[in-house]
Amino acid sequence: MKLSEIGKEVLNIQDCGKLLIITEDTVAPLYLETCADSLRNAGFTVFSYILPAGEASKNGENFLKLLEFAAEKSLTRSDGIVALGGGMVGDLAGFTAACYLRGIRVIQVPTTLLSAVDSSVGGKTAIDLPAGKNLAGAFHQPELVLQDSSLLETLPEDVFLAGMAEVIKTSIIYDESLFEKIQDPKNIQNILPEVIGRCVEIKKHFVEEDEEDRGIRHILNFGHTIGHAVEKLSGFSLSHGFAVAKGMDRMAELSAEEGWCSQETARRIHEILVRYGFDLSVHFSADEIFRLIQSDKKREGNVIRLVTVESIGQCGIRTVPMEECRALLEKIL
Ligand code: GLY
């Protein structure tokens, strides 16, 4: 579906009214006008709000500013928010939509590979708190996800690569044939629409089974426990995908070390990440990472659920006491 057709698409779910486009300063010069024109031509009244790009914008202050902005423009319950951007925009705009007037519609328009294959699908919305990433949020399903893969053509190489971490993750947790298909980084652009489609299908499978993330959906967090900690410890100078790549490598190593998967499986995971050019070194100690993991969402009381590898295409969830988690971290950091 093309971004220029968004007006027509939204008319299928909303009678004319107001739409607030929330976007970021790297995306606005490229796509805001196309998006706003299409919506206006379809008869909507359109407002826009541009945030500085980067995870640091996903905070409580911007969340309140967005709520105030929506109120100033008198958005009502029959109006909507359009999240035009990457994961940061999708999460923050989604959370604003979830809370404004106790919930108005949100339409997700992912402009990065990461948001196309992961964060725009499944209804998780959030902001970060000083204590950690995504610690305040809500489940709020988008009424429409407009996937236009041509928007990804302008992505800087590192932003594309960050999205590949989530693609590789998706293949490891569920689909060995997808893992085989994406082995060659030089060929990935040729098969991108097919790869995105398969990743969205797999994500939908987990979300449909467990929308509120009480069980099987945790598997989508493979690599994210260490990943989120490293991302936060770097002051978000390391982007989500790069941090998750490090987390996946360490969890694969741990899984092999503990006999939960074969050494061969861990080696294949390490090799594909290296082949795509990820730096897999972790410059933080087990202590530093453990401190952050203590406020991880996957912690429940004195235990935490870790996503471990069993084979390519199959991951499992292990509930471990926090003290054991610390000991496990020490083995791999
Ligand atoms: N990104 C993990 C999830 O949506 O559950």
Side-chain angles (χ1 to χ4, degrees), residues 118 121 124 169 203 213 217 220-221 224:
D118 189 41
V121 182
K124 277 190 181 174
K169 175 207 79 179
K203 174 120 196 207
D213 203 13
R217 184 169 176 172
L220 291 168
N221 285 317
H224 285 55

Side-chain angles (χ1 to χ4, degrees), residues 118-119 121-124 134 139 166 169 203 206-207 210-211 213 217-221 224 240:
D118 189 41
S119 57
V121 182
K124 277 190 181 174
N134 294 339
F139 291 98
E166 293 286 358
K169 175 207 79 179
K203 174 120 196 207
F206 282 97
V207 173
D210 173 25
E211 185 173 345
D213 203 13
R217 184 169 176 172
H218 289 318
I219 287 186
L220 291 168
N221 285 317
H224 285 55
H240 180 69

Side-chain angles (χ1 to χ4, degrees), residues 14 57 122-123 143 181 190 246 271 273:
Q14 176 177 326
S57 286
E143 279 189 32
K181 199 169 278 169
N190 301 328
K246 292 176 196 285
E271 278 177 5
L273 292 169

